[in-house]
Every structure is written in structure tokens, then in C-alpha cells.
Amino acid sequence: MLSIKLAWRNIWRNKRRTIITTLSIVVAVFLSAITRSSQEGQYDNMLENTVGTFSGYIQIHKQGYQDNPTLNNSLAINDSLYEVIKSDKNIRSIIPRIESYALVATGQQSRPAMIMGIDVEAEQELSQPQTKLQKGNYFSSNSEKGAIIGEKLRQRLNAQIGDSLVLIGQGYHSMNATGLYPIKGTVSFSNPEMNSSLVYLPLKTAQYLFSAQDRLTSIAIKLKTPTQLNATAKYLKSRLPTNDYEVLTWQKMMPELKQAIEVDRGGGIIILLVLYMVVGFGILGTVLMMIAERSYEFGVMLSVGTPRTTIAKILSFEILLMSLMGAGFGILFSIPVAWYFNVNPIDLSGAMASAVEQYNMAPILEFSTDPEIFTSQALIVFFITLLFSIIPILKAANLNPIDAMRS
């Protein structure tokens, strides 16, 4: 206890020295936390644009659909399947879909497009097409005869609201799939690929088009707690016959997205390691300077019989207290900055925006506010500070009293 009191008084005996040392730790925590926050925010943005607002965190298919996604591998709807899905408490919403591809045309223009038959009520929980309407109106029922298309697709087709959209494709068991639907509205997503290729149809209308009544290609699932993803997927797998259904998490459905995140995260960690090294040697220099300034003081203490272990203990407590203050203030300063850029993402423009859009991401730089980011970075810098302080502390404890007082 006495050593802690002496350490605390020593800290404030020279406020300038304490502020410089503590400030170096604060800057280190701030920079590392903000760097991680921006990086994780980008991943959140990426997942939100794909998983959170389109595919869902989990999808249930007929066994084999993932490897061969055709209408012939669609699954038949039955009440028992829905009851099993609903039995998991982490399920927030169930979104049935039937998807395929077709040629769409208006007048002289035609384009390949993805046709997505949606439950007009359930889909509002995931892709929320009603909130992304640019023109026109949303569907009123699952059997309505109408189409909502991406805004860029409408421009490429040179079509207007109310124009007829011709769909030509292949249905279930190679049946002809042709239909004529008025364009009821247009939607705009942050994902440019969806804007240029997506056609929404009401679920029953799409099932009729593809001659696949009472069939679905996928059931997307939105979770209450995404962090419980693996536990929910494991539960569903245990309750559904594996010969009939496949339960896939977004990592299984989109391995390229998972790999891209892991590669980018690895690059970010390398940058952070460089930052940690710079911070560590900066702290080492600061602590060495602090101890060098007090050589005479340590020489006197050793001359009057103070044990070397006591000097090492007092110095350790000084470093520990300054590290705690630095880590704490680093968290306090970094959280408001991350929160601000989470609420007000930075809009990217020019070549950078185009590069981001190539990965189907919104051209914004959004910061993450996950508390784990700030606490983990504070702990890492805290331990780096302690690690790089060991040598200066040992050097101070092993000073020659006469040489120290002469210096």
C-alpha cells in the first residue's frame, strides 16, 4: 500500500512528465481503436448490404440446391417445416422466396434479369422494397399481377411506370415461363448489381409464372441476435431431416465474402502490428527518459538503503497507474469519434466510390461502435506499455548508486 501511495505522489510530482507519458498511451489507444472501428464498420456495411438486407443470415433450401440452384431443386411448402423454424426463439422473421432468371424486355430493349418472387408482407422484414421505392407503388397482395424493377434496369430498358414488361424463361420441370406484367414501381438499392438486374414479383404470381405452385427455392431467416448465428443453425440442422433440407449460414452461402473479410482483416492486423511496434518503442523511449531524469533520486534512495526491489515495485506501480489512465482516456476519446462517424458515415466519391461499389457495397465509410473494439485495443496497448517498461524498470533497479548520483 505504501508503494502505491509513493507511486501516486511521484506521478504528480512532475505533471509535465506524467502528461507526456500518459498522452502517448492515449494516442496509441485512440489510433488503434479508430483504425479497428473503421475497419469493422466497413465489414458491417458489407454484411448489411448483402446478408442483413438481402440474403438473410440463414437460408433453408432443398438438399442440393446450393450446388445446383435451379427450380427443379425447389422445396415444397408444408406447415411442419414452418413450425420447426418458428420453434427457435432467435428467429425474428421467415422470408419465403422463389428465384430464377429470365429475359426481360420492353419495346426494343431486353436484358437478362433475376426474377424474385416475394411474400409482400414478409419481405418487408428483410430487403424492405417498400422503403426503397423510387417511383410507383408497392404490391398490395401476393397474387397481384405487376412487377417492381431496379431503377437502373428501368433506365436500361428505357421503360416507364405502367409499361408492360415481358418475361421469358424456363419454369419448373422445363415448363415454359412467359408472362406480361405492368411495371408497378422501381427500387434503388445500395448494391448496384441489384439495381441493374432485379425484378420483384409477388410470390403467387411468380409461382404461377414458373409453374411451381406451392414451391420455394429458399427460405431466408432473419435473426434477433446475429451473434447466435451458429447456435441457431445448429438447432435447425438438428430438427430438420438432412436428406431433405440444407441449412446454410451466410458464410456457407457466400464463402467469397467471408474470405474477402478475413483477407482484409489480416491486412488490417498487420498495419496494427506496425502501429503497436511504433507505440511500444515510443513508450520505451518516454519511460527511459523519465527514469534517466530521476537517476540522482534513485542513487540517493539506494545509498540510504532502499532495497532495489522496492524501487522496481514503485516504478512498476507508476507505469501501471499511468497505463490505466492512458487506456481509460483513450477509450473515452475514441468512442465519441466512432459514434459520430457511425451516425454520420463519410460519403466516398470519385474513384474510391467506384472501387467500393465494385464489391457491391454502399460508397460510405461507416465506423463500428462495438464495445469489444475499444476494450480490446485498450487492453492490448496497456499490456504493450507494461511489456516495454520492464527493461527501463530493471535498469533503474540495478543502478550503481555512486554513478547514478554523479550523473
Side-chain angles (χ1 to χ4, degrees):
M1 192 67 184
L2 179 61
S3 298
I4 297 176
K5 284 184 179 178
L6 287 172
W8 181 253
R9 289 176 180 174
N10 281 337
I11 286 174
W12 299 113
R13 198 177 57 186
N14 189 330
K15 293 181 181 177
R16 180 187 294 179
R17 183 178 63 206
T18 301
I19 290 172
I20 291 173
T21 307
T22 306
L23 195 59
S24 66
I25 302 170
V26 172
V27 172
V29 174
F30 178 82
L31 290 177
S32 60
I34 290 300
T35 302
R36 288 287 296 150
S37 174
S38 64
Q39 195 178 21
E40 293 298 326
Q42 282 294 82
Y43 304 149
D44 292 343
N45 177 26
M46 189 183 296
L47 290 177
E48 187 63 23
N49 278 279
T50 52
V51 177
T53 60
F54 192 71
S55 68
Y57 286 90
I58 296 175
Q59 282 195 6
I60 297 175
H61 308 145
K62 182 182 177 182
Q63 186 60 252
Y65 178 79
Q66 179 69 8
D67 296 329
N68 187 17
T70 67
L71 286 170
N72 291 340
N73 278 334
S74 57
L75 55 86
I77 303 171
N78 59 71
D79 293 337
S80 61
L81 173 61
Y82 277 90
E83 290 301 320
V84 169
I85 299 172
K86 290 177 183 175
S87 64
D88 190 297
K89 294 180 180 178
N90 195 32
I91 302 298
R92 177 177 172 180
S93 49
I94 302 169
I95 301 97
R97 289 169 172 171
I98 183 166
E99 301 170 24
S100 188
Y101 291 86
L103 184 70
V104 298
T106 57
Q108 302 299 316
Q109 302 292 329
S110 63
R111 303 283 301 180
M114 181 174 74
I115 314 300
M116 180 179 290
I118 57 172
D119 183 302
V120 297
E121 293 293 332
E123 193 66 31
Q124 296 182 39
E125 294 289 323
L126 191 58
S127 64
Q128 301 178 339
Q130 83 287 358
T131 65
K132 298 177 174 63
L133 278 173
Q134 296 292 297
K135 297 177 181 176
N137 299 301
Y138 189 55
F139 301 123
S140 57
S141 72
N142 282 329
S143 56
E144 183 179 357
K145 195 171 183 181
I148 294 176
I149 67 176
E151 176 60 21
K152 283 190 178 179
L153 178 61
R154 182 196 67 78
Q155 294 172 5
R156 289 178 178 179
L157 293 172
N158 194 23
Q160 302 299 326
I161 302 298
D163 287 355
S164 296
L165 187 72
V166 178
L167 271 64
I168 304 173
Q170 190 176 66
Y172 184 58
H173 282 174
S174 302
M175 297 288 286
N176 288 327
T178 57
L180 184 67
Y181 305 96
I183 299 176
K184 190 174 175 66
T186 63
V187 288
S188 179
F189 290 93
S190 55
N191 185 325
E193 187 176 342
M194 290 174 62
N195 288 334
S196 59
S197 63
L198 181 65
V199 174
Y200 279 130
L201 291 179
L203 184 61
K204 290 189 179 298
T205 302
Q207 289 172 328
Y208 180 80
L209 169 69
F210 293 123
S211 304
Q213 285 81 357
D214 298 327
R215 301 191 74 84
L216 301 171
T217 52
S218 65
I219 297 176
I221 294 173
K222 194 165 186 177
L223 304 179
K224 294 176 182 174
T225 310
T227 53
Q228 298 295 318
L229 170 68
N230 291 329
T232 305
K234 185 178 179 181
Y235 172 81
L236 293 175
K237 286 178 182 177
S238 68
R239 296 293 307 276
L240 294 172
T242 53
N243 291 332
D244 297 331
Y245 302 104
E246 58 185 16
V247 179
L248 301 175
T249 61
W250 71 264
Q251 294 98 329
K252 293 286 186 183
M253 290 185 287
M254 293 174 282
E256 67 284 352
L257 177 61
K258 180 188 175 188
Q259 190 176 29
I261 290 176
E262 288 177 347
V263 169
D264 194 71
R265 184 175 281 144
I269 289 174
I270 291 173
I271 294 173
L272 281 177
L273 287 175
V274 174
L275 176 64
Y276 294 150
M277 291 297 291
V278 172
V279 168
F281 282 107
I283 291 171
L284 175 64
T286 305
V287 176
L288 282 173
M289 181 183 67
M290 181 182 76
I291 290 174
E293 288 177 352
R294 298 167 62 187
S295 294
Y296 183 81
E297 171 192 337
F298 295 137
V300 172
M301 292 175 69
L302 290 169
S303 300
V304 299
T306 306
R308 294 181 184 275
T309 54
T310 302
I311 293 176
K313 191 186 297 181
I314 293 171
L315 276 173
S316 299
F317 281 127
E318 288 181 30
I319 300 297
L320 182 65
L321 291 171
M322 286 189 288
S323 300
L324 285 173
M325 287 192 296
F329 281 115
I331 292 177
L332 287 179
F333 290 149
S334 55
I335 286 178
V337 175
W339 176 83
Y340 177 81
F341 287 113
N342 178 267
V343 177
N344 305 288
I346 300 170
D347 288 323
L348 304 177
S349 59
M352 185 174 289
S354 302
V356 171
E357 286 180 341
Q358 287 180 356
Y359 292 95
N360 298 325
M361 294 167 55
I364 58 173
L365 181 58
E366 182 179 335
F367 285 46
S368 172
T369 55
D370 185 353
E372 186 182 348
I373 292 173
F374 306 99
T375 53
S376 63
Q377 293 308 309
L379 284 172
I380 290 171
V381 174
F382 174 75
F383 285 113
I384 287 175
T385 304
L386 298 184
L387 180 66
F388 277 81
S389 301
I390 292 175
I391 294 176
I393 290 171
L394 292 176
K395 185 179 178 183
N398 291 295
L399 282 173
N400 183 301
I402 298 173
D403 293 340
M405 286 188 288
R406 283 178 179 170
S407 66

